[in-house]
Structures are given as structure tokens and as C-alpha cells.
Amino acid sequence: MLTALSIRDVVLIERLDLVFAPGLTVLTGETGAGKSILLDALGLALGARAEAGLVRNGATQATVTAEFDLPKTHPARALLAEQDITPSDDTLVVRRTLGSDGRSRAFIDDQPVGVGLLKKLGASLIEVHGQFDAHALFDSETHREILDAHGRLTGDVANVANAWGAWKEARDAHQKAKTDADRARAHEQELRDHLETLTALAPKDGEAAKLMAQRATLQHHDLLVQALQAAEAELVGARGAQPAIERARRGLDRAADKVGAPLDSARQALDRAQAELDEAIGALHTIGASLDPADASLEKVDDRLHDLKTHARRHGVEPDALPALVERLQRELALVEGGGAAIDKLAKAEQVARAAYVDAATSLSAKRAAAAKKLDKAVAAELPPLKLEKARFATELDLLPESDWGPNGRERAVFAVATNPGQKLGPLAKIASGGELARFLLALKVVLAGVGSARTLVFDEVDAGVGGATADAVGERLNRLAEQAQVLVVTHSPQVAARGAIHLRVEKGGKTKVATNVVTLDDTGRREEVARMLSGAVVTDEARAQAKRLMNT
């Protein structure tokens, strides 16, 4: 939910701070007062295209900051987590600066981010609906997802996706086995020759690395022997460390017979030293035994390494990868010699997985068809009060060819409309006029309330071109939406304005320079503004009385 909006130096707005609340907020004002500037500023904060013309004349930079209440379960948090951004609490702050040179910068919780991320985040926070907005409902790619959410088919879609994954895995395994078998048959003799040579070589896992270490040891054999002998002499010789520790311990033992406890810690330390010394001497003996070149010579090690490296280069692998190469060649020959039994088994597994997918997708298709009928009926019920009684709305489900099947099922969902009798159903954006389009979107949003992550909805003159009962129907539906989401509406309709829980009046004024300001109206101010919208420049008592009746209703 949008909780605050701060605007600095945007077009005619020098400084403006607004606070928002849940429910229905209406924005009214004379034509040209600057209502569209507010929406442009909000759009700038949410990643809309930045144009230098938005910077107030005489200012060097425009800044817009929007603050949102962001529950722990909001989907926007997953998007932020992908970018290693974690809001510190339930409040999220986005900010956009725009220089007079047209360059802009974006921030999320004071962390600099790309405008692309800001735009994605904005789409999950706020939906803007107007007569000419490029809205997500225009994109048929979103219609299936909307239908599934409306029909509560998320679990069914997940089942289809799992079945699709299993089928794809089985199909890939089958295809790979066939490809490997075809290649093996084409090069069967070559495979046999390679396998025979490598089997005779008998490479072992990690053998090359071990030989390299052994080679280094053999190259410095004499140096190591001398070092070991010198170390052992220092430790166990007549004047070495081991006899010295033994002598010290005997001396302390004799004294301990007389003084006792004061020498215990020293005696224990000598015991530990003796144990460590014994371990070191044992390690020297072990190393010395391993240096015996009786079973291995530098020449033999070099010859073995040369053979491994030669065969590795021939097959384009590392020496330590030769054992795995042997296993792969054996598998490929097994495909040839097995007479296709393994491939038949994989083909059967693919058929079983495909059948499971088809079953899950068929079930989902039936549920989608039922959900589409309910959606069409619900939207149809909303159209007559919105002066669209001759219009038709239909959710079309088109079966896809098998090559286009996927984790979301086997059909494409498309929202189609016709605004006049006898007219062919067509895409929403191409069939409806500006005013009709806005009201269609309102009808859809009322029916689809709760679908989507955005909990703030902005309607820009959704009531344009209508009045009387139709305008009242628009207001009633906006009010219903506001029970489930925060709704902001820019309106010229007194019937809509009268329903606002919060009423913001946009005014243009200033003695020395023109500026846009926004005033939050109290009950008296609301009544006066609705009366002005009813009567025009001169507000009459009759208009005030009618405004009061509208607000009470």
C-alpha cells in the first residue's frame, strides 16, 4: 500500500508531501490544475520513462520519493531478494532523481539500482488504469495466469508443471540414448579399438595426480633422505631431544618423591612432549619407508605419465578423466550390443510420462473451461450498469499444437470483447474505445479483485464521458474495490468524488509564479468541492444540498 509521496521540483510542483491511507482516495480539481503531474511523478518513482521536461523550470533536479507498506508475504520481497535487497522492516522506500540534462538515478531503500528493477518492482506494487494506458490485461500472455488465479487453479497448474518436467526428462533421456546409439553404430569399430587400447592401459582414478606427486618425491630422493636422517639424529641421537627429555623426566621423578605436587604440571608437560616427539619420530620412519625406490623408479613413473598424457591428448581429455572415458565407451558399445533393449525401455518410460502429463493437462483444461464460464458470467453482470449493456466479454481457450505444450498446459487463454451487437469478438485493446476500455478494465478489476500482487490501484478518469447513473455505478465499483485494495482515482465525476474516504483537491495558484498544490479536504471542504463539480464556477445552495445527499448515500 502507498503510504506517502514526496515530490520536489516536478513541472509545476515545487514541494509537495502527501500521506495516503487505505480505502478510496479521490483526486479532483479544475482541468489543467495538475492532476496528471501527480501521476507522472508517481510513475517516475516507479520506473517510468524519464524526460527532462519533468524538471521544474529553473531547478537542476527533480526528486520523487514513494513510501510503501510492504507485508512480509508480499511477492515484491522475492524480487528484492534476488538482488540481495532486504527491507529492514515493513516499510519500503523508492526514490528517483532526474536531472535537467535528462539523466536519472534510482534507489530502493537508499541502495542505487537500475531503472529496470525499479520498473519491475513498481509493477508489483501499483497498477495504473486509464483510458490509454498500456495495461497488462492487454497482453494475452497474462490472461492464462489471471484465469488460473481467478479459478484457484494454482495447485492444478503445479501438478501439470511437475508432470511436464517428468515427461521432458524422460524424453531427453530417450533422445540422448538414441543419439548415442546412432553414433556408436556409425563408429562401432573405432569405439572397439579405442576401448581395447584404453583397457590395456588400465587408467585408475586419480592416478595421474598420484604419479606427479611420486615423481616429485623421486626427483628429490637424496635430499629427502638426508633431511630425514639429520632430523632423526637430532631427535634420537645421544645428545638428541628424546634422551634429553628422558633425563629431565627422571630428575623430576626423583625430586617428586620428596616434594610431590609442585612438580606435577612440569612432569605432565614432559609426558606430552615425549608423546609428540614419539609421533614425530614415527612419521619420519613412515616417510623414510615410502622413499624406498625398490618398486618404483623415476624412469618408470615418467613412462607411465607419458602414456597417460598421450592417450588423454588423443581423446581430448585430462589424464585423470581417462577412467570416465572408458566407462562412456563401454556404455556406447553396450547400446550397440544390447540390441536396442535399453532404448525400448526408455521409450516406454517416455510414453508413460507423456500419458501422465496429458491426464493432468486434460483435467486442468476442463477446470479452466469451467472457470472461464464463471469469469465471463461475472464480467457480463458488471457491464450493463457501466453503460456497456450491448457489449460481450468472452474468455477464449485455444488448444495449442503439441510442439507448443508446456508446463502451463495445452491451451492459450485470451480475453476477447465485442462492444456492439453482431460485432466479432476481438482483442480488448483493439475493439474498445478509450472510455469503453476504461470501464471494461474497471469491470474486470472488480471481478478479479484479489488477483495479482499490486495492492494499490490507480484509476485515471475511468469515468470520462459518462454521468448520472453510469457515473454512480463507476463510483460504486471503485468503492467495492477499495474494500480489498487501496484505490486512488482521478475524477471529474461528483458521483465518484462523493464516495471518497479521502478527498484531495489539486489546485493551481501563486502570486509571482504558477504552482500546483494539493489540499486534503475535511467534510465541509468535500461537500463544497462536490457541489462545485455539480454546478460549475458558481456554487449554489441547491448544489450543496445535492452534494450532501450524494455523500450521505
Side-chain angles (χ1 to χ4, degrees):
M1 181 186 77
L2 178 66
T3 57
L5 182 66
S6 297
I7 304 173
R8 302 289 184 270
D9 296 318
V10 175
V11 193
L12 297 177
I13 300 175
E14 182 175 356
R15 183 184 183 90
L16 183 62
D17 295 297
L18 297 174
V19 176
F20 296 91
L24 178 61
T25 296
V26 297
L27 293 88
T28 64
E30 297 285 358
T31 300
K35 297 185 294 297
S36 62
I37 298 175
L38 287 176
L39 296 186
D40 289 342
L42 180 59
L44 184 66
L46 297 174
R49 182 179 177 182
E51 298 180 358
L54 288 174
V55 181
R56 186 176 62 84
N57 188 28
T60 59
Q61 177 179 276
T63 303
V64 184
T65 303
E67 185 174 308
F68 294 87
D69 176 51
L70 197 68
K72 297 290 191 232
T73 56
H74 197 287
R77 288 185 178 271
L79 176 63
L80 294 173
E82 292 175 1
Q83 306 299 321
D84 294 326
I85 298 175
T86 304
S88 57
D89 49 30
D90 288 342
T91 300
L92 180 73
V93 178
V94 298
R95 176 165 54 92
R96 184 94 174 273
T97 61
L98 172 63
S100 56
D101 58 359
R103 296 182 180 179
S104 73
R105 298 181 67 195
F107 302 86
I108 298 176
D109 276 356
D110 286 331
Q111 297 186 48
V113 298
V115 175
L117 173 61
L118 193 63
K119 190 171 184 178
K120 286 183 180 179
L121 178 65
S124 71
L125 296 171
I126 288 184
E127 289 184 13
V128 178
H129 302 263
Q131 294 190 52
F132 307 106
D133 291 313
H135 187 264
L137 285 170
F138 297 169
D139 183 3
S140 61
E141 294 300 318
T142 68
H143 295 176
R144 178 204 52 75
E145 184 177 351
I146 292 171
L147 175 63
D148 290 342
H150 178 68
R152 293 182 174 84
L153 301 178
T154 306
D156 297 272
V157 175
N159 291 338
V160 170
N162 290 336
W164 165 261
W167 178 23
K168 184 177 183 302
E169 184 177 342
R171 183 176 56 197
D172 291 347
H174 180 207
Q175 185 59 49
K176 183 179 184 303
K178 289 198 299 182
T179 301
D180 290 346
D182 290 342
R183 183 174 62 247
R185 278 190 289 270
H187 303 283
E188 181 178 355
Q189 189 55 50
E190 183 180 359
L191 283 173
R192 294 187 183 281
D193 292 342
H194 288 329
L195 185 57
E196 182 180 355
T197 303
L198 290 173
T199 301
L201 181 67
K204 300 177 180 61
D205 289 332
E207 182 181 6
K210 292 177 182 177
L211 288 170
M212 291 294 291
Q214 188 177 9
R215 183 174 185 274
T217 299
L218 291 170
Q219 282 180 318
H220 302 92
H221 178 270
D222 293 341
L223 177 63
L224 283 172
V225 169
Q226 291 174 8
L228 290 171
Q229 290 174 345
E232 187 171 3
E234 291 292 337
L235 295 177
V236 300
R239 302 180 60 84
Q242 189 180 46
I245 290 176
E246 291 175 352
R247 287 193 297 271
R249 177 58 194 264
R250 285 196 298 272
L252 290 179
D253 288 345
R254 287 194 297 270
D257 291 341
K258 297 180 175 58
V259 300
L263 295 177
D264 286 350
S265 60
R267 296 166 70 199
Q268 291 169 2
L270 286 174
D271 288 343
R272 292 194 296 271
Q274 182 66 54
E276 293 289 339
L277 189 59
D278 290 343
E279 184 177 345
I281 294 171
L284 291 175
H285 290 162
T286 300
I287 296 172
S290 69
L291 294 179
D292 185 1
D295 296 329
S297 66
L298 183 60
E299 183 179 358
K300 288 182 179 179
V301 170
D302 280 341
D303 288 345
R304 180 62 176 174
L305 271 174
H306 178 268
D307 288 344
L308 290 174
K309 290 180 177 180
T310 298
H311 285 83
R313 282 195 301 270
R314 185 177 300 162
H315 293 281
V317 298
E318 293 297 321
D320 279 337
L322 288 173
L325 175 61
V326 172
E327 292 180 2
R328 180 169 68 80
L329 295 176
Q330 289 172 338
R331 286 196 303 270
E332 291 183 6
L333 275 176
L335 288 173
V336 177
E337 297 168 349
I343 294 177
D344 291 342
K345 184 178 180 180
L346 290 171
K348 192 169 296 184
E350 179 187 350
Q351 292 172 359
V352 171
R354 181 186 182 279
Y357 170 79
V358 170
D359 287 345
T362 301
S363 174
L364 176 60
S365 297
K367 292 181 180 181
R368 277 180 176 158
K373 288 182 179 179
K374 291 181 180 179
L375 176 61
D376 295 349
K377 184 177 180 180
V379 173
E382 296 293 332
L383 297 180
L386 296 174
K387 205 175 179 179
L388 293 169
E389 62 277 356
K390 296 180 180 180
R392 290 181 296 137
F393 173 87
T395 305
E396 297 179 341
L397 296 175
D398 301 326
L399 186 63
L400 298 170
E402 184 167 341
S403 58
D404 291 335
W405 292 359
N408 294 316
R410 301 187 300 166
E411 59 272 320
R412 178 190 297 110
V414 178
F415 296 154
V417 301
T419 54
N420 295 300
Q423 184 181 25
K424 187 178 179 181
L425 289 166
L428 185 64
K430 295 182 179 180
I431 298 299
S433 65
E436 292 172 333
L437 188 56
R439 281 175 277 138
F440 255 118
L441 291 175
L442 176 57
L444 276 169
K445 286 310 299 181
V446 170
V447 172
L448 298 172
V451 174
S453 63
R455 303 313 303 148
T456 297
L457 308 176
V458 178
F459 291 88
D460 184 13
E461 298 189 13
V462 69
D463 51 7
V466 298
T470 303
D472 188 59
V474 170
E476 190 269 334
R477 279 150 181 78
L478 290 170
N479 203 37
R480 281 162 53 190
L481 271 179
E483 294 175 359
Q484 301 191 51
Q486 181 188 43
V487 177
L488 281 65
V489 56
V490 176
T491 181
H492 288 287
S493 168
Q495 290 90 344
V496 174
R499 292 180 178 271
I502 299 174
H503 193 143
L504 304 178
R505 174 175 166 79
V506 184
E507 329 179 309
K508 185 187 291 184
K511 295 182 179 179
T512 58
K513 56 183 179 180
V514 177
T516 291
N517 191 32
V518 178
V519 178
T520 302
L521 301 178
D522 57 16
D523 287 345
T524 302
R526 288 178 58 212
R527 187 186 64 185
E528 200 69 13
E529 175 66 2
V530 173
R532 181 198 64 78
M533 297 171 75
L534 285 166
S535 63
V538 179
V539 180
T540 64
D541 288 341
E542 182 182 353
R544 291 188 178 95
Q546 187 176 354
K548 184 176 181 180
R549 286 194 297 272
L550 281 176
M551 291 171 62
N552 289 339
T553 302

